[in-house]
Amino acid sequence: MKTRIVVLVVGLAWSGSALADPDPDLNAPAMRAWTFFAQINSIAAKQSTVKGQKTNDALWETWADDPATFPSDCKTPVWPGAAPSKKLRRSLLQLLVEAERSNKKLTAHDISARPFIEVGGTEEVRRNKASFDFIVKNGLWYVEGIERSAGAAIAGYHYPTAGAPESPAVAFPVDAIEVKANWKPITAADKPNYHWNLDSQGNLFGLVAMHLITKSIPMWTWATFEHVDNPARCDHIGCYDPFGAAPAYTATNGQICKGYAAGALTPALVELLKKHKVPAEFQHYRLKGTQTSFIDQNGFPTLLANSVTECGGTTSCPGDCSNITSSCMTCHALARADAQNGVRSDFVFSSGPTSPAKY
């Protein structure tokens, strides 16, 4: 007796056009990173003046910075009515890197005693209003508020079950955006090649690096951009941008701080920057990579680090990581302070086999 096999195919109705990507944040993170980059780097409609000089604020430079979000006078933070003056600090992460290299343990005083404006400071952190409002509403701008929030999250935490998803400890809104930017002093002749601006003292700086973190997916999208001339831009883990760069992948050259070819911007990226009226100066930046998960589709750890933001470097080689690579997601997930004296207790780097965050 022969049995007929009937195959039932259930498919989507074909309309004659390509289906829209249902989740571009996961499936095309490089494209999404550039889209956010273009949106936040449109030039702000209103510019301020510093010591008689007009600023060059991009949209994100009008957002609340760390001093506005975490005020030292313990007064409830207020969203800035105008672009806050650019207060550049020495990077805490670079202090930690230097401490790791010298086997020095930073004290709470080393961290808390730093003023918001420092001689030689090159870093700032800003957040959009969605992120700012969440921090203020939930009391995350002062130590006791963070302790209370963490305690409530721990008390109410449960693992995912068939009937209920995992309870998040702290869930920022999906439209939250955070930016960490690094600058270096430049001259007026350098202006065409950098996004430039003035610090609170009227000194001229050029943007050399940017971390862009968006909450459009639960684990956030982590993207890092570097100026094309950064000498260590693709050191150790290479650079990977399947949306905006041609070629998409630039392998590490195996030498420290020898620089990399600029490559070309894709027509899709050029059109995107044009659509959002992003100034030509931003064509001198490259996406180094993105992260949306701790591991890739093959189970290998994803690594991503900015040669300026994560690495102390030297005058001759800004961003020499000295064979140290890391993961944006892992560092942020493990960053914490100990209960005894409030100094960091975990700071994880890897010096093993490296792999760029390819998605």
Side-chain angles (χ1 to χ4, degrees):
M1 179 179 179
K2 296 180 178 179
T3 303
R4 178 182 296 177
I5 299 175
V6 178
V7 179
L8 178 62
V9 178
V10 179
L12 295 172
W14 178 249
S15 63
S17 60
L19 295 175
D21 188 338
D23 199 342
D25 291 280
L26 286 174
N27 298 324
M31 181 272 289
R32 289 290 284 163
W34 273 116
T35 300
F36 282 115
F37 182 90
Q39 291 171 346
I40 70 171
N41 280 305
S42 59
I43 293 299
K46 186 177 181 180
Q47 300 292 326
S48 54
T49 301
V50 178
K51 294 188 179 297
Q53 304 178 77
K54 188 177 180 181
T55 58
N56 186 39
D57 293 327
L59 175 63
W60 65 270
E61 291 172 276
T62 66
W63 296 348
D65 60 6
D66 271 357
T69 311
F70 310 103
S72 57
D73 60 7
C74 294
K75 293 181 179 178
T76 302
V78 177
W79 182 257
S85 297
K86 190 173 296 298
K87 301 178 179 68
L88 301 179
R89 301 183 69 176
R90 181 113 186 273
S91 166
L92 176 58
L93 194 53
Q94 290 183 1
L95 290 175
L96 291 172
V97 170
E98 293 168 8
E100 290 285 329
R101 290 173 177 167
S102 62
N103 292 319
K104 173 189 175 184
K105 182 170 182 176
L106 293 181
T107 67
H109 177 77
D110 291 331
I111 298 172
S112 63
R114 299 179 311 137
F116 278 116
I117 303 176
E118 292 187 352
V119 176
T122 62
E123 183 173 283
E124 63 178 330
V125 178
R126 295 183 187 252
R127 55 199 48 83
N128 70 349
K129 197 167 189 303
S131 181
F132 176 87
D133 287 346
F134 182 85
I135 290 171
V136 175
K137 179 181 178 181
N138 292 277
L140 300 176
W141 53 275
Y142 60 102
V143 173
E144 293 81 4
I146 295 174
E147 291 176 339
R148 183 170 59 250
S149 179
I154 293 171
Y157 182 83
H158 63 78
Y159 286 98
T161 63
E166 178 183 22
S167 61
V170 177
F172 275 69
V174 295
D175 53 345
I177 301 176
E178 300 261 345
V179 173
K180 180 185 287 185
N182 293 86
W183 303 77
K184 74 173 185 179
I186 61 171
T187 67
D190 296 319
K191 280 186 175 182
N193 298 319
Y194 288 87
H195 171 57
W196 61 269
N197 218 327
L198 308 169
D199 71 0
S200 59
Q201 306 303 307
N203 300 310
L204 182 62
F205 282 81
L207 181 70
V208 292
M210 173 187 284
H211 272 330
L212 175 56
I213 314 168
T214 60
K215 184 61 193 325
S216 48
I217 56 176
M219 295 291 286
W220 300 69
T221 293
W222 306 76
T224 198
F225 297 81
E226 297 203 30
H227 192 274
V228 70
D229 291 337
N230 287 354
R233 179 166 60 92
C234 301
D235 282 359
H236 308 299
I237 60 176
C239 296
Y240 184 62
D241 177 9
F243 175 75
Y249 178 58
T250 300
T252 180
N253 57 26
Q255 303 179 61
I256 302 299
C257 285
K258 297 299 182 182
Y260 294 85
L265 303 181
T266 63
L269 176 56
V270 173
E271 182 60 29
L272 177 68
L273 297 177
K274 180 180 178 181
K275 173 184 175 182
H276 290 279
K277 299 180 180 179
V278 177
E281 61 200 38
F282 284 101
Q283 294 191 21
H284 294 279
Y285 296 87
R286 298 292 183 270
L287 174 66
K288 181 168 184 175
T290 59
Q291 275 189 298
T292 57
S293 175
F294 289 103
I295 59 174
D296 65 17
Q297 62 270 27
N298 297 312
F300 291 105
T302 57
L303 299 176
L304 186 63
N306 191 294
S307 72
V308 176
T309 310
E310 272 82 23
C311 308
T314 64
T315 304
S316 60
C317 178
D320 175 6
C321 282
S322 299
N323 293 313
I324 296 176
T325 55
S326 69
S327 156
C328 300
M329 294 180 68
T330 303
C331 281
H332 281 259
L334 295 179
R336 67 195 72 184
D338 63 31
Q340 251 186 347
N341 54 18
V343 301
R344 60 93 181 167
S345 59
D346 285 284
F347 188 59
V348 178
F349 278 117
S350 165
S351 57
T354 61
S355 171
K358 290 186 177 181
Y359 289 93

